[in-house]
Amino acid sequence: MEKTVEQALELVIIGGGPAGTAAGVYAARKQLKTILVTESFGGQSVVSADIKNWIGTPSISGTDLADSFKRHLQEYESDWFSIVETKAVSVTEEDGVFIVELANGSTLKTSTILLTTGSTRRKLAVPGADTFEHKGLTYCASCDGPLFADKDVAVIGGGNAGFETAAQLLAYAKSVTLLHRSPAYDKADAITVKKVLSHPNMTGITNAQTSSVFGEMLVQGLSYEKDGVEHTLAVEGIFVEIGLIPSTSIIKDLVSLDSVGRILVDPKTQQSSHTRIWAAGDCTDGLFHQNNIAAGDAVKAIEHIYLTLHT
């Protein structure tokens, strides 16, 4: 395939989740010469059956949210703004210009880049986990938690994300049991750990290595090993919080990353260590990762990109 080269772009946005969508809308409204590159729309929430915390929308499915993102962006397609539905495979820099190579054979040249590629949930690699995903096992408490009101549930993971998920679930679940594979909760804030574990409906189990998930049509429980002994736990919901894998490999040679591969950004501007690369959403080292936060951070980034280019 003969490559095509897009000249004179001011901005390339890579990613079509909440951050990328918000960025695209704001870039188009500011008439920044922009192309948004994404394989798909919606981000991680596309798999959720019922999202109840997207501001302004009491209830929406992940697929409907993704469709709304795409429609909103398409409303702004113009001489200034366009969408390319493909994968960005590499980003390099030559003579102060970024070269973005796309899977469709095209090449984009741009002055600035906003990365909104998000991250992927680290999956629970035990028998039954894949079988019961979206059938009682979930990776998003904010999306799916309310579906488990008055039910016994488990959280797998003892870091801050695990304890924050447990705290959220305690508002409506019958009971929450948190399984942590290490002997101590040394990856979570001590104050949060103490507060969550003090709840009467909360149980924490350390040295617990999840070994399987079981059920029939839906999750009925899990098995875990503790001190060489196999145990079972009857639950109707399992929330997995064992970490995220940031999608930053495309840009890792151009910006500073933290120890787990997230892009280090200035929280005031979302600017990375490279003065012409910004990032927003789950691919960054931001303290909290939620759809609404990702969208807000992306808007912040566009405001700063506009000022950088036009003042």
Side-chain angles (χ1 to χ4, degrees):
M1 179 184 295
E2 183 180 353
K3 291 187 176 183
T4 58
V5 179
E6 182 70 30
Q7 300 285 355
L9 288 172
E10 292 182 284
L11 171 65
V12 168
I13 301 166
I14 303 175
T21 300
V25 168
Y26 270 71
R29 290 174 64 86
K30 289 183 176 296
Q31 295 191 346
L32 289 170
K33 182 65 174 175
T34 302
I35 287 181
L36 184 145
V37 179
T38 186
E39 289 184 272
S40 60
F41 297 88
Q44 290 185 40
S45 292
V46 72
V47 300
S48 298
D50 190 13
I51 300 166
K52 293 181 177 293
N53 64 335
W54 181 244
I55 300 304
T57 306
S59 176
I60 188 170
S61 71
T63 54
D64 286 345
L65 182 65
D67 289 342
S68 73
F69 285 171
K70 185 173 183 177
R71 289 196 307 272
H72 199 169
L73 288 168
Q74 288 174 332
E75 286 290 320
Y76 283 96
E77 287 188 295
S78 63
D79 291 340
W80 296 98
F81 176 77
S82 60
I83 305 164
V84 177
E85 292 188 53
T86 190
K87 182 179 181 180
V89 295
S90 70
V91 178
T92 55
E93 186 179 10
E94 298 178 8
D95 300 324
V97 175
F98 294 113
I99 312 298
V100 183
E101 297 282 349
L102 306 183
N104 66 4
S106 297
T107 301
L108 308 179
K109 291 186 176 182
T110 181
S111 299
T112 65
I113 287 177
L114 172 57
L115 201 75
T116 62
T117 47
S119 62
T120 57
R121 296 276 182 175
R122 192 179 300 278
K123 293 300 185 76
L124 182 64
V126 301
D130 288 345
T131 301
F132 290 101
E133 187 170 344
H134 313 311
K135 298 176 182 178
L137 185 146
T138 177
Y139 293 84
C140 183
S142 296
C143 309
D144 302 326
L147 300 175
F148 296 87
D150 300 319
K151 298 181 185 298
D152 297 311
V153 302
V155 175
I156 300 175
N160 278 327
F163 275 92
E164 288 164 5
T165 290
Q168 180 178 338
L169 293 170
L170 284 166
Y172 33 75
K174 181 181 178 181
S175 72
V176 179
T177 301
L178 184 145
L179 304 178
H180 183 42
R181 65 181 181 178
S182 299
Y185 302 114
D186 51 4
K187 293 185 177 181
D189 296 332
I191 293 175
T192 302
V193 172
K194 183 178 180 180
K195 181 178 180 180
V196 172
L197 290 180
S198 68
H199 194 285
N201 298 333
M202 180 71 198
T203 301
I205 303 175
T206 55
N207 286 323
Q209 184 68 50
T210 305
S211 52
S212 69
V213 175
F214 60 85
E216 293 184 0
M217 295 297 293
L218 300 172
V219 162
Q220 293 178 324
L222 59 81
S223 299
Y224 66 93
E225 182 180 310
K226 178 178 172 66
D227 301 327
V229 179
E230 193 77 9
H231 302 265
T232 60
L233 179 67
V235 291
E236 294 181 76
I238 299 172
F239 295 81
V240 182
E241 290 290 353
I242 56 176
L244 296 170
I245 303 173
S247 303
T248 56
S249 60
I250 193 174
I251 209 85
K252 63 182 177 62
D253 294 330
L254 296 175
V255 299
S256 296
L257 307 176
D258 69 7
S259 60
V260 295
R262 298 174 300 191
I263 300 171
L264 298 172
V265 295
D266 181 342
K268 290 184 178 180
T269 62
Q270 300 301 124
Q271 192 173 39
S272 74
S273 59
H274 192 303
T275 57
R276 289 181 294 108
I277 298 176
W278 287 255
D282 287 8
C283 65
T284 75
D285 66 332
L287 182 58
F288 301 108
H289 292 144
Q290 295 285 336
N291 285 346
N292 294 295
I293 295 172
D297 284 349
V299 172
K300 188 194 312 178
I302 292 298
E303 296 287 356
H304 193 244
I305 291 169
Y306 182 82
L307 289 176
T308 299
L309 292 173
H310 292 278
T311 58

